[in-house]
Amino acid sequence: MPETRTVALVTLGCARNEVDSEELAGRLEADGWRLVDDASEADVAVVNTCGFVEAAKKDSVDALLEANDLKGHGRTQAVVAVGCMAERYGKELAEALPEADGVLGFDDYADISNRLNTILSGGHVEAHTPRDRRKLLPLTPVERQAAAAEIALPGHGAPADLPEGLAPASGPRTLRKRLDDAPVASIKLASGCDRRCSFCAIPAFRGSFVSRRPGDVLNEAVWLAGQGVREVVLVSENNTSYGKDLGDIRLLETLLTEIAAVEGIERVRVSYLQPAEMRPGLIDVMTGTDKVVPYFDLSFQHSAPAVLRRMRRFGSTEQFLGLLESIRAKAPEAGARSNFIVGFPGETEEDYAELERFITHAGLDAIGVFGYSDEDGTEAAGYDGKLDQDTVNDRVARLSKLAEELTAQRAEQRIGSEVTVLVESVEDGVVEGRAPHQAPETDGLTTLLGVEDALVGRFYRAVVTGTEGVDLIAEAVAATEAPEPVGAEV
């Protein structure tokens, strides 16, 4: 009997990519592959790339080259690129990076096992040919669901005749294999985006917005709870649009309450919210539903009206401050974060000052700052009024410094408050986790003091006693009464 082939998945980019990697892992394991963590122990290293901004693309190329260096020094025989950068550039990436033995797009995911077997056997797999995925579905959202069954939508599901034991266990099933045992996991709500922000290329390679069926999402939450997950994070390119292609733009409000009722799930978090699409009913559910954390990941991008119009977005400093005020009127402890682009074409010093005014008064818990750079195929790449790189760099540095000061001040305002901390790591006696306003990997951590025999996956009530930048230090008060997590005492 031939030796089982091994595969390692290297994931870059956002939580959506992490979900896609777990789909690929599920498909490969179902077809007999053995998954390994270390690429040097794998016959083939599959790099799930990010293609969002230049820095992410560079990281993806570096990861591919690093995996390629393993060839000839260990078990690794092939390196294959998948994910957003592979989908976006396809053959162009293959020509520029001959070290990659394959460049596969989303359409290849359903047959990923055969593709990898062909490559390992010395055969040729044609590099992906990019196309505008927005053109694959009807323009009208309500007409998309039927057509969506005919195209590749990573993370959206698979045929009903899948092997038993794959997620979820009943109903329409998604092929998914967890790649770690962390007590938090993401669930994909939708794929694609209908917004036409002038700086963003994502809709072209991720396609038009398509919601997953609520039953599929709920079944996956049930399956994840059975895997020991205590917190689920709902992700997509734009969660506030969820349900519009299913005939109910308020479907997210209903779904949140249903996921919160899943036995074993103790925290539900929603990410990727568009300020222009926020509605009172959604704010009510996110601030008033037990187990749904009042956490608002709002994509502001800027606050000067002139810049927002050139970005093909909506809003202003006053409108955004009003939105945050309406949230905090219902949940004063609510967490809020956002990302901002500075140096956008045509941005004046006055526009930049307006952005500084906004973040000074917004009270955000976490702020990401990015300097504008042209992205292939975007409208903004053809704009006039481009700023020189020194000016962009200067504004990035200034806003980053201000953001660091303001978020540290916001953290200090939480001293004396009680938070519920989900423990995620216990190492050398240091217990770390996250409070409700802290999303995984982006918004800081909480160091938990005064607790013995801590368990990863358990929640503890604690009082904030200090801060280090955006990170909190908290003294444990008591463990919650939630069910015992999967894990060993430390």
Side-chain angles (χ1 to χ4, degrees), residues 129 159 163 213 267 287 294 344 350 362 370 372 399 474-475:
T129 300
R213 296 274 176 185
R267 182 182 282 176
T287 57
F344 194 78
E350 290 74 21
F370 299 88
Y372 172 81
L399 196 68
E475 189 79 24

Side-chain angles (χ1 to χ4, degrees), residues 332-355:
E333 78 286 0
R337 79 168 325 275
S338 193
N339 295 324
F340 299 93
I341 299 173
V342 295
F344 194 78
E347 181 191 61
T348 64
E349 191 62 41
E350 290 74 21
D351 293 328
Y352 172 78
E354 182 69 0
L355 177 56

Side-chain angles (χ1 to χ4, degrees), residues 154-309:
H156 274 240
D161 58 351
L162 295 173
E164 291 298 325
L166 297 168
S170 62
R173 289 179 288 174
T174 299
L175 206 53
R176 180 172 181 176
K177 167 72 175 178
R178 294 211 69 205
L179 293 173
D180 60 39
D181 57 359
V184 58
S186 297
I187 299 178
K188 187 173 285 191
L189 270 187
S191 287
C193 186
D194 287 341
R195 302 185 71 86
R196 294 295 180 261
C197 301
S198 62
F199 56 82
C200 184
I202 288 176
F205 59 83
R206 277 288 183 180
S208 299
F209 186 88
V210 181
S211 302
R212 290 182 68 198
R213 296 274 176 185
D216 292 357
V217 176
L218 189 59
N219 283 339
E220 193 164 339
V222 171
W223 179 79
L224 287 169
Q227 300 289 306
V229 169
R230 313 301 303 284
E231 174 181 333
V232 294
V233 183
L234 305 182
V235 300
S236 74
E237 277 74 25
N238 177 10
N239 281 338
T240 36
S241 282
Y242 180 72
K244 72 175 186 178
D245 52 326
L246 296 172
D248 185 359
I249 191 60
R250 294 176 177 80
L251 199 55
L252 180 56
E253 287 90 311
T254 303
L255 183 59
L256 282 172
T257 60
E258 293 175 340
I259 295 175
V262 171
E263 184 177 358
I265 298 299
E266 298 299 322
R267 182 182 282 176
V268 183
R269 185 182 304 276
V270 187
S271 60
Y272 304 111
L273 302 168
Q274 287 292 338
E277 297 180 27
M278 289 300 295
R279 46 195 179 269
L282 180 56
I283 294 174
D284 288 343
V285 170
M286 291 179 64
T287 57
T289 304
D290 185 36
K291 297 186 180 180
V292 177
V293 292
Y295 171 81
F296 293 82
D297 176 12
L298 295 159
S299 178
F300 290 124
Q301 302 298 347
H302 213 282
S303 72
V307 176
L308 287 168
R309 284 195 296 272

